[in-house]
């Protein structure tokens, strides 16, 4: 409820940065993180996948659906990169830097080539996507700041 309350503060914050990266969950139908892909399982249960434990989610952010589109107001014109995550049908990706199976997204290289040393992160899913991205930013050698 009230998730859109993050939009205005994020827009205001974004105006202060020269390098903006947006992330977008972009799952194929039947993605392995969906409870519906595991008969008899319910959202928020966990299953064991090849890379480890996976929380099962309701179907969400299916490629091309309205639920996958950026929230109105978050189509920031200054964002040069929209990084789509969770495209691999069998692998989830909370982090913008590293998918759940350890595959790197390339974001660290992108930021380094632009001379970024400090990453400021914000979003709605602070307990998953924002937190995992912040931890992986640190692991990649960036200073990381999470805006609550
Ligand atoms: Zn997802």
């Amino acid at each position: 409820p009230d998730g859109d309350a993050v939009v205005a503060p994020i827009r205001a914050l974004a105006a202060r940065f020269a390098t903006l990266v947006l992330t977008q969950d972009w799952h194929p139908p039947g993605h392995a993180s969906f409870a519906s892909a595991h008969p008899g399982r319910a959202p928020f249960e966990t299953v064991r996948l090849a890379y480890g434990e996976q929380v099962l989610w309701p179907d969400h952010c299916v490629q091309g659906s309205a639920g996958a589109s950026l929230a109105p107001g978050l189509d920031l014109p200054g964002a040069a990169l929209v990084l789509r995550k969770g495209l691999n049908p069998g692998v989830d990706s909370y982090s913008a830097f590293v998918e759940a199976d350890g595959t790197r997204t390339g974001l660290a290289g992108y930021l380094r080539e632009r001379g970024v040393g400090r990453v400021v992160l914000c979003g709605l899913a602070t307990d998953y996507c924002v937190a995992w991205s912040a931890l992986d930013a640190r692991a990649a050698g960036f200073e990381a700041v999470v805006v609550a």
Side-chain angles (χ1 to χ4, degrees), residues 117-145:
R118 181 173 186 238
V119 178
V120 177
L121 305 101
C122 56
L124 187 58
T126 50
D127 49 347
Y128 281 91
C129 297
V130 177
W132 288 48
S133 295
L135 293 170
D136 285 340
R138 290 284 310 210
F142 297 97
E143 182 184 348
V145 177

Side-chain angles (χ1 to χ4, degrees), residues 25 27 33 60-61 92:
D25 248 23
H27 298 306
S33 72
H60 66 279
C61 298
D92 208 2

